[in-house]
């Protein structure tokens, strides 16, 4: 089985071919990433301190054909030889989604292949099966620039959101903090770098939601606290910036750890028979060493395996979309040919869990 995947939901233009050989033991997954081409638009957006949707959509239009061609060439698989085309159809920035899905529709129609519309979050959720052949069920922590969620991954198409942010995504909080402190975009890696020489004990920033019975995340109050602290001592020296970054990071790790500990305990209760349970992280923020260290410690205390797929597959890519396409094909859940599928800027992975308290009429943006 070979699937061409396309990803354009944010600021990465990506295409990939993933293969799964039907061996004698089909329950043992041995997928191969035949190509994985990712073009980051960071340079296009850096001057604005964040992703500008119109610039992103235009950049996708300009780059996508070449990226798809490169993915096919790298994989040495011709379009004729793929079994299906899978494209991210949401959630994300609608301009980019339109570019990716329309391109996929055109390729699928021209090559007479089925088209599979993939939820971007499902791509992240299933990555650990592509990289590590992980068995269901497991727990996923997704922390990126656009999303902050804890999801119980129970099967293909069977996801239960246990927690989500009621305001900013965690990556967004890093990016906004960096911007306030005059650090370049993307903020996360720069905040982490500055924090190395900072004193994490200098500022007592809040730990939002810590100890709350509501399982969700919140980061906007922390961001406001950072702004107030920075304004109070401006102009900032390099040491001030480092201290704020270190204190911010410590608050984030502490708050996140509290939320994840709750979810690990819930997983034990809901899946008491699951041997060797695992927590998987995905998203750009998972690169942060302080956060990773906190999660590793939590997992080892709770008897969970901690799994962080390689960074290239943790952040946005099309291999995860191609893989989600393969999983759906195998499960007989590829759906009708998605030629009529309309891109969805908001598309919850779990349509059953109640909307979030405090996240506004349209639900959490992340
Ligand atoms: O998954 P990702 O590459 O893209 C999407 O958001 O879709 O995540 C990017 C986010 C940005 O907000 C970036 O600041 C954050 O991940 N990030 C980090 C680190 N590296 C990237 N945040 C904290 N520490 C890092 N080392
Ligand atoms: Zn993503």
């Amino acid at each position: 089985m070979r699937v061409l995947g396309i990803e354009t939901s944010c600021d990465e233009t990506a295409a990939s071919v993933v293969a799964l050989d039907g061996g004698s033991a089909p329950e043992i997954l041995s997928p191969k990433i035949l190509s994985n081409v990712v073009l980051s638009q960071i340079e296009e957006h850096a001057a604005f301190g964040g992703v500008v949707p119109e610039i992103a959509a235009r950049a996708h239009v300009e780059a996508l054909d070449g990226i798809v061609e490169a993915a096919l060439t790298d994989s040495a698989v011709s379009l004729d030889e793929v079994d299906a085309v899978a494209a991210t159809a949401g959630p994300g920035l609608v301009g980019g989604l339109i570019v990716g899905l329309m391109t996929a529709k055109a390729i699928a129609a021209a090559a007479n292949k089925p088209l599979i519309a993939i939820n971007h979050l499902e791509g992240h959720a299933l990555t650990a099966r592509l990289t590590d052949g992980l068995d269901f069920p497991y727990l996923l922590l997704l922390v990126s620039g656009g999303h902050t969620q804890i999801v119980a991954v129970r099967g293909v198409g069977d996801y239960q959101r246990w927690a989500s942010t009621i305001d900013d995504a965690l990556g967004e909080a890093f990016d906004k903090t960096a911007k306030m402190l005059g650090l370049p975009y993307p903020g996360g890696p720069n905040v982490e770098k500055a924090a190395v020489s900072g004193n994490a004990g200098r500022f007592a920033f809040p730990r939002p939601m810590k100890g709350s019975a509501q399982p969700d995340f919140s980061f906007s109050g922390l961001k406001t606290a950072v702004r107030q602290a920075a304004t109070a001592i401006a102009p900032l020296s390099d040491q001030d910036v480092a201290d704020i970054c270190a204190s911010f990071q410590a608050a984030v790790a502490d708050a996140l750890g509290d939320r994840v500990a709750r979810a690990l305990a819930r997983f034990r209760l809901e899946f008491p028979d699951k041997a060797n349970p695992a927590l998987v992280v995905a998203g750009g923020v998972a690169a942060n060493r302080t956060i990773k260290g906190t999660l590793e410690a939590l997992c080892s205390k709770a008897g969970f395996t901690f799994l962080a797929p390689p960074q290239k597959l943790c952040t946005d890519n099309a291999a995860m979309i191609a893989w989600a396409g393969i999983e759906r094909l195998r499960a007989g859940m590829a759906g009708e040919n998605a030629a009529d599928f309309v891109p969805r800027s908001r598309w919850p992975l779990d349509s059953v869990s109640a909307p979030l308290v405090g996240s506004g009429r349209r639900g959490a943006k992340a």
Side-chain angles (χ1 to χ4, degrees):
M1 213 180 262
R2 298 186 184 93
V3 170
L4 167 67
I6 292 178
E7 158 62 38
T8 54
S9 67
C10 190
D11 61 343
E12 274 92 17
T13 313
S16 160
V17 179
V18 176
L20 181 68
D21 292 327
S24 52
E27 69 281 4
I28 300 172
L29 301 178
S30 56
K32 283 197 182 65
I33 299 173
L34 301 182
S35 63
N36 186 15
V37 185
V38 181
L39 178 71
S40 165
Q41 301 175 0
I42 282 180
E43 279 176 23
E44 273 96 330
H45 302 288
F48 305 96
V51 178
V52 184
E54 287 75 14
I55 293 177
R58 194 174 297 252
H60 288 306
V61 171
E62 285 167 4
L64 187 55
D65 286 1
I67 297 293
V68 169
E69 211 170 349
L72 288 169
T73 308
D74 283 5
S75 68
V77 169
S78 73
L79 202 47
D80 260 358
E81 292 166 323
V82 306
D83 294 281
V85 181
T88 301
L93 301 173
V94 80
L97 293 172
I98 291 172
V99 174
L101 191 57
M102 289 301 289
T103 303
K105 284 181 183 180
I107 293 173
N112 199 19
K113 303 287 177 185
L115 173 68
I116 311 172
I118 300 290
N119 182 313
H120 177 88
L121 303 173
E122 178 168 62
H124 282 302
L126 297 176
T127 297
R129 289 168 54 76
L130 168 64
T131 56
D132 294 79
L134 200 61
D135 279 336
F136 298 122
Y138 53 88
L139 206 56
L140 170 78
L141 170 69
L142 173 59
V143 276
S144 71
H147 303 281
T148 303
Q149 307 196 338
I150 299 177
V151 177
V153 183
R154 304 192 298 184
V156 178
D158 186 3
Y159 312 103
Q160 215 177 47
R161 192 198 67 227
W162 283 1
S164 186
T165 179
I166 57 173
D167 40 57
D168 292 347
L170 183 50
E172 193 179 359
F174 268 95
D175 294 338
K176 287 177 175 170
T177 294
K179 202 170 176 182
M180 278 185 258
L181 300 175
L183 298 172
Y185 175 85
N190 291 303
V191 168
E192 180 172 18
K193 208 156 90 192
V196 171
S197 48
N199 169 9
R202 177 163 164 205
F203 299 93
F205 291 137
R207 273 64 172 154
M209 307 294 279
K210 189 172 177 185
S212 163
Q214 188 187 345
D216 299 306
F217 303 92
S218 166
F219 296 108
S220 72
L222 174 57
K223 176 187 68 191
T224 305
V226 169
R227 179 182 298 117
Q228 284 166 348
T231 310
I233 58 166
L236 302 177
S237 68
D238 286 352
Q239 192 56 51
D240 292 333
V241 169
D243 293 346
I244 292 175
C245 287
S247 303
F248 166 80
Q249 213 171 243
V252 162
D254 198 10
L256 195 70
D258 175 70
R259 310 284 76 199
V260 171
R262 266 183 76 94
L264 297 183
R266 178 172 171 187
F267 192 93
R268 284 281 193 204
L269 282 178
E270 297 214 4
F271 304 101
D273 302 330
K274 175 71 185 166
N276 307 317
L279 172 74
V280 179
V281 284
V285 184
N288 187 287
R289 275 159 296 179
T290 303
I291 290 175
K292 233 184 206 167
T294 303
L295 296 174
E296 258 161 357
L298 265 181
C299 282
S300 92
K301 207 170 126 203
F304 275 65
T305 300
F306 176 76
L307 225 112
Q311 196 57 18
K312 216 177 161 195
L313 296 171
C314 228
T315 56
D316 288 353
N317 66 86
M320 70 179 189
I321 303 303
W323 174 247
I326 289 180
E327 291 260 40
R328 287 204 157 252
L329 280 174
R330 288 178 74 232
M333 295 172 66
E336 296 293 305
N337 194 328
D340 293 332
F341 200 99
V342 178
R344 294 181 59 176
S345 59
R346 286 170 195 250
W347 183 6
L349 194 52
D350 168 1
S351 53
V352 177
S353 298
L356 284 177
V357 178
S359 62
R361 196 164 49 86
R362 297 175 66 200
K365 66 183 171 187

